[in-house]
Amino acid sequence: MVIRKRKKIITFLLLFTMIVGMVIGGAYNGVMAEERVPAYKNPNMPIEARVSDLVSRMTLDEKIGQMVQAEREAVTRDDIKTYMIGSVLSGGGSVPAQNTPEGWADTVDNFQKGALETRLGIPIIYGVDAVHGHNNVKDATIFPHNIGLGAANDRDLMKRIGSATAEEVRATGISYTFAPCLCSPQNIRWGRTYEGYSEDPKVVGKLGSALIEGLQGHRKDSGFLKGTKIAATAKHFVGDGLTKNGIDQGNVTEYTDEELKKFIKPYKEAIKTGARSVMITFSSINGLKTHGDYHMITEVLKGELGFTGFVISDWNGAQQVAPGDFRESIKRSMNAGIDMFMIPHDWKRFITTTKDLVAKNEVPMSRIDDAVTRILRVKFENGLFEAPFADRSLVAKGVGSAEHREIAREAVRKSQVLLKNDNHILPLKKDGLNIFVAGKKADNIGYQSGGWTISWQGETKPDLTKGTTILEGIKEVAGPNTTVDYSQDGTGAEGHDVAIVVIGEPPYAEGAGDRTDLGLLQEDIDLLNKVKTTGVPMVVILQSGRPMIVTDQIQDWDAFVAAWLPGTEGAGVADVLFGDYKFSGKLPYTWPRNMEQVNNHDKKNPLFRLGYGLKTR
C-alpha cells in the first residue's frame, strides 16, 4: 500500500515537473521570440524606446531620406523604396486622376507600399493642405475660411470642425495636414489675411488650439493622432501678416523682439495642446529669412516653447535662405533647426547635398539625429507603424456627409457679421415678400469658397464642388409664400419689396491676393448702382477674405452683412437673413475707412471697430 502511494506521488511529481517545464520553456521561447522582433516594431514598447531603437539601426542614407518631403507628381513608388523617402505631399490642386476618396486612398497606399518595401519598413507620412475642410477633394465639406471662424469665435465649434475635417482627411488615406494658420495679420493688404482668425493674437491662440485638438484629439488620450484623428501643423512661425506693406513673403521691420512675443503666444498654446508639426514662414525678420533663423527655430521654438514634434519648411522655403546658392541654403536652414524639408521637385539634389554636408562636418550628425528622432516620434504617435494603409471603412464612408455639412452651415451662420441694419430691415419676413437677388456671386460655389478650394488659387466655377449657394439657401429658407427672382447683372429689380445684392472678391491665395487697393470691384459698383436707381431697399452681402473699403457706397445700403468666404454651405447665410437664427458674429479685424488707414496701421477711427457686430431682434 505504501509502495503504491509512493509510486503515485513520484508519477505526479514527474508529470508536474514536465508541465512546469513546458510552461517555462514556452514562456522562455515567447520571450526569445519577442526579443527577436526589433523594439521599434513592438507596439507595447514606449514610443521613445521605439524611436531610439530605430534611429540606432539607420544608415545615413536612411536618415536623410526621412528628412525629405517630395511632391506627389515628382516621386514614384520606386523612388520611395530606392531613396527611403519619409514623406509625400499634395500641393494645392495636386490631385490624383480620380479625385475621389478611393482615388486618393489608392494613390497614398501605393506610395506607402514602396516605403514598406525598404530595409526597415519605415512608413511615409502624407501631407495635404486641408485648411478649411479637406479642400482639395471634390465634394468634401468646405468650411468658412479662418477669418469667418474668427467672427464666430466659438471654441466648441472649432473642435467639431477639426474633428469633421480629420475624419474626411482620413477617409482619403491621409494622416497629416498643414493647418491651422496661427498668424495675426496686421496689414489686410496681405493676400493671406483670410487665413488668420483675427488681428488679435488672443483670439488666434484660442481658436487655433481648439482646431488642433479637434484634428488630433486630446494629447493625453490613447487615440491621440490615431483612427479618425490626424497630425496638425501650426503655421507659419513667425511673422505672417506683419510684413512691411503687407507683402507676401516680405520683411518684418516694424516690430521689436518684445512686440513679437505676443504673436508667438498662439504657438505656445498650440504646442501646449499638442501640435506635432510647425511650419516655418517664408517671411524675414529684419532681413533674416526665418528658414535660416537659429534663434527663432532652435532657441525659441524648440527651446523656450518646448516643441517636441518636427519642424517643416514651407514649399521650397529653405532655398530662399541664400538665394542662388542651394548648398548654402540647405546648410544654414538645416543647422537652424528645420527637420523635414518640403522640397517638392529637387529632392534628389537635397539628398546628395546633405550627404556632402555631413561628410565635411558642416552639418553635425547630432543635428541629423535630432531631425530624424522628431519625425519618427510623430510617425509612431500617428499610428503609422501599426496601421500604415487607408482605413477602407472610412474610405467607403467618404466625404461631405450630412452631419459635417450641418456643422459647416452652423459655422456659416455664426460667422455672419451685421454691420448696418436701418429701420430693422433684417430679419426679412418669410411670408408674402417679393425678393430680388442680384449678382453672379449669389449663385456660385467658387466665389463662395475662395482660394484653396479644389485648386490652389481657387476657381470661379459655379459648380466647382458640391454645395448650396446663397441663392439656393434663400429659396430654401424664405418659405413657400415668398417670391424669389434672380438676375446676375441686376436687371429687373423694380417692383420688388427688397433686393439682396451679393458682391465680393474673386478667389485668390498667397501672392496673387496681395492688394494695394481694397476698394470694391467696378463690376460690383455697377451692379449696386443699377439696383440703387430702382429705389428698392438694398441688403448688401459682401463675400471677401478681408474688410474692403466701402465708405463711399455704404450710405446707399439699408443693411450690410460681412459674409466673408462661407464655403459650400451658403444656406447658413439665409438662416440669419430670415431670422431662423440671430446674427451673432463680431468683426475679427478692424474695418478701415480708407486705404490711408491701412497703410498707416491706423485703427483709431475706423469705419467699424474690432469686435463690432449688430444683433437682430
Side-chain angles (χ1 to χ4, degrees):
M1 184 71 73
V2 173
I3 293 173
R4 287 181 181 175
K5 285 183 178 180
R6 285 179 178 176
K7 284 183 178 180
K8 288 182 179 180
I9 292 171
I10 292 170
T11 301
F12 173 78
L13 289 174
L14 286 171
L15 288 170
F16 178 77
T17 302
M18 289 173 63
I19 292 169
V20 171
M22 290 171 66
V23 170
I24 294 174
Y28 176 76
N29 289 334
V31 170
M32 292 298 290
E34 188 169 315
E35 287 180 351
R36 285 195 293 270
V37 174
Y40 79 90
K41 290 187 176 181
N42 184 351
N44 297 316
M45 294 285 287
I47 284 178
E48 293 306 312
R50 298 178 74 183
V51 171
S52 179
D53 176 69
L54 181 50
V55 172
S56 71
R57 297 171 185 270
M58 296 173 71
T59 65
L60 178 60
D61 285 340
E62 288 167 330
K63 291 176 180 178
I64 294 173
Q66 285 300 300
M67 298 171 71
V68 171
Q69 185 177 73
E71 219 288 326
R72 177 191 67 84
E73 295 179 331
V75 70
T76 66
R77 171 177 167 174
D78 287 341
D79 287 334
I80 291 174
K81 179 180 179 180
T82 301
Y83 296 95
M84 296 155 287
I85 290 172
S87 184
V88 179
L89 85 150
S90 277
S94 176
V95 302
Q98 297 297 321
N99 190 359
T100 63
E102 294 81 4
W104 279 92
D106 291 345
T107 298
V108 176
D109 280 358
N110 183 56
F111 287 132
Q112 195 67 275
K113 289 173 183 176
L116 299 183
E117 290 168 356
T118 58
R119 181 178 73 93
L120 295 171
I122 304 173
I124 62 163
I125 185 168
Y126 198 105
V128 69
D129 285 283
V131 298
H132 62 139
H134 200 2
N135 44 264
N136 273 340
V137 181
K138 193 81 163 61
D139 299 336
T141 308
I142 305 299
F143 295 92
H145 268 298
N146 289 352
I147 191 170
L149 299 180
N153 198 11
D154 185 327
R155 196 176 192 283
D156 174 69
L157 174 64
M158 295 302 299
K159 288 172 68 173
R160 288 185 283 124
I161 289 173
S163 293
T165 299
E167 186 174 330
E168 296 203 10
V169 171
R170 280 286 191 176
T172 59
I174 299 171
S175 64
Y176 175 35
T177 180
F178 310 124
C181 187
L182 298 183
C183 60
S184 308
Q186 301 301 301
N187 192 318
I188 60 174
R189 287 182 296 177
W190 185 44
R192 304 188 77 159
T193 295
Y194 64 76
E195 295 189 53
Y197 297 109
S198 174
E199 67 185 50
D200 183 353
K202 292 180 181 178
V203 174
V204 173
K206 166 188 169 183
L207 300 183
S209 60
L211 185 82
I212 288 170
E213 185 172 338
L215 290 167
Q216 298 191 153
H218 194 281
R219 62 188 179 87
K220 293 184 179 180
D221 290 347
S222 59
F224 182 61
L225 301 188
K226 300 177 181 67
T228 59
K229 299 299 182 181
I230 60 176
T233 304
K235 67 179 188 183
H236 306 83
F237 189 81
V238 63
D240 277 5
L242 309 180
T243 61
K244 186 175 181 180
N245 297 324
I247 295 173
D248 190 56
Q249 304 186 25
N251 193 16
V252 178
T253 60
E254 301 172 348
Y255 299 87
T256 65
D257 289 346
E258 190 63 30
E259 289 171 332
L260 281 174
K261 287 182 179 179
K262 68 179 181 180
F263 299 107
I264 291 175
K265 284 185 178 179
Y267 294 91
K268 186 176 182 179
E269 289 186 53
I271 291 166
K272 185 178 180 181
T273 302
R276 303 317 290 139
S277 172
V278 171
M279 185 181 290
I280 302 303
T281 179
F282 279 123
S283 303
S284 307
I285 298 177
N286 296 319
L288 174 61
K289 281 288 182 181
T290 307
H291 274 78
D293 192 335
Y294 176 85
H295 170 66
M296 276 296 178
I297 299 174
T298 297
E299 294 181 340
V300 176
L301 178 59
K302 293 182 176 180
E304 294 176 19
L305 301 186
F307 179 59
T308 60
F310 65 84
V311 176
I312 186 169
S313 73
D314 207 334
W315 183 282
N316 286 329
Q319 293 94 299
Q320 296 184 4
V321 173
D325 190 335
F326 185 88
R327 189 178 191 280
E328 184 66 16
S329 290
I330 299 304
K331 172 186 172 181
R332 284 163 56 181
S333 57
M334 195 173 292
N335 284 329
I338 291 177
D339 304 313
M340 182 178 285
F341 287 74
M342 187 187 290
I343 190 156
H345 302 94
D346 213 2
W347 52 268
K348 287 184 181 178
R349 187 181 179 192
F350 169 84
I351 290 172
T352 56
T353 299
T354 303
K355 285 182 69 174
D356 184 62
L357 288 169
V358 174
K360 294 178 179 176
N361 295 316
E362 295 179 63
V363 171
M365 272 303 301
S366 59
R367 174 76 274 273
I368 301 295
D369 286 344
D370 173 56
V372 175
T373 294
R374 290 169 174 273
I375 293 165
L376 293 177
R377 178 182 293 132
V378 175
K379 287 187 175 185
F380 280 115
E381 292 171 339
N382 206 199
L384 289 169
F385 282 82
E386 284 68 57
F389 296 115
D391 181 338
R392 292 291 163 165
S393 65
L394 284 175
V395 175
K397 187 175 180 181
V399 297
S401 69
E403 177 187 0
H404 293 171
R405 291 186 184 277
E406 182 52 44
I407 296 172
R409 183 168 176 169
E410 176 188 347
V412 173
R413 59 178 176 255
K414 287 183 174 180
S415 69
Q416 304 302 293
V417 182
L418 182 59
L419 296 173
K420 184 179 181 181
N421 192 25
D422 286 357
N423 300 316
H424 301 288
I425 190 172
L426 294 178
L428 299 173
K429 296 178 181 178
K430 283 194 174 188
D431 294 320
L433 278 185
N434 192 8
I435 297 174
F436 182 75
V437 180
K440 64 183 181 182
K441 296 157 191 173
D443 195 28
N444 189 297
I445 293 292
Y447 275 103
Q448 267 181 218
S449 300
W452 292 108
T453 308
I454 305 302
S455 63
W456 174 35
Q457 294 287 333
E459 302 175 41
T460 58
K461 294 179 180 177
D463 57 350
L464 180 62
T465 189
K466 185 179 179 181
T468 302
T469 66
I470 292 176
L471 175 64
E472 290 169 336
I474 289 171
K475 289 180 176 179
E476 173 193 329
V477 175
N481 298 320
T482 301
T483 300
V484 179
D485 296 318
Y486 171 60
S487 168
Q488 286 195 3
D489 66 2
T491 301
E494 297 88 345
H496 289 82
D497 297 312
V498 64
I500 300 173
V501 185
V502 182
I503 60 176
E505 294 186 287
Y508 58 80
E510 57 197 282
D514 289 0
R515 296 281 188 272
T516 57
D517 181 3
L518 296 177
L520 297 178
L521 296 176
Q522 189 59 48
E523 65 180 40
D524 285 337
I525 293 174
D526 292 343
L527 175 69
L528 290 163
N529 286 337
K530 181 177 285 190
V531 177
K532 172 188 171 183
T533 59
T534 68
V536 175
M538 279 197 294
V539 174
V540 176
I541 298 173
L542 174 64
Q543 295 182 130
S544 66
R546 54 198 153 195
M548 307 292 290
I549 306 301
V550 298
T551 309
D552 292 340
Q553 293 82 29
I554 193 173
Q555 59 189 346
D556 298 324
W557 307 343
D558 295 272
F560 176 34
V561 178
W564 313 113
L565 298 169
T568 54
E569 307 314 303
V573 178
D575 285 339
V576 290
L577 289 179
F578 290 92
D580 287 354
Y581 297 85
K582 293 182 179 180
F583 279 91
S584 60
K586 304 295 181 183
L587 285 181
Y589 290 82
T590 304
W591 199 292
R593 289 183 179 275
N594 50 50
M595 284 304 300
E596 185 178 358
Q597 286 187 339
V598 177
N599 295 339
N600 296 329
H601 306 282
D602 178 8
K603 300 176 181 179
K604 295 179 182 178
N605 184 32
L607 188 62
F608 300 108
R609 60 177 170 75
L610 174 70
Y612 183 82
L614 300 173
K615 293 184 178 181
T616 45
R617 291 177 176 176

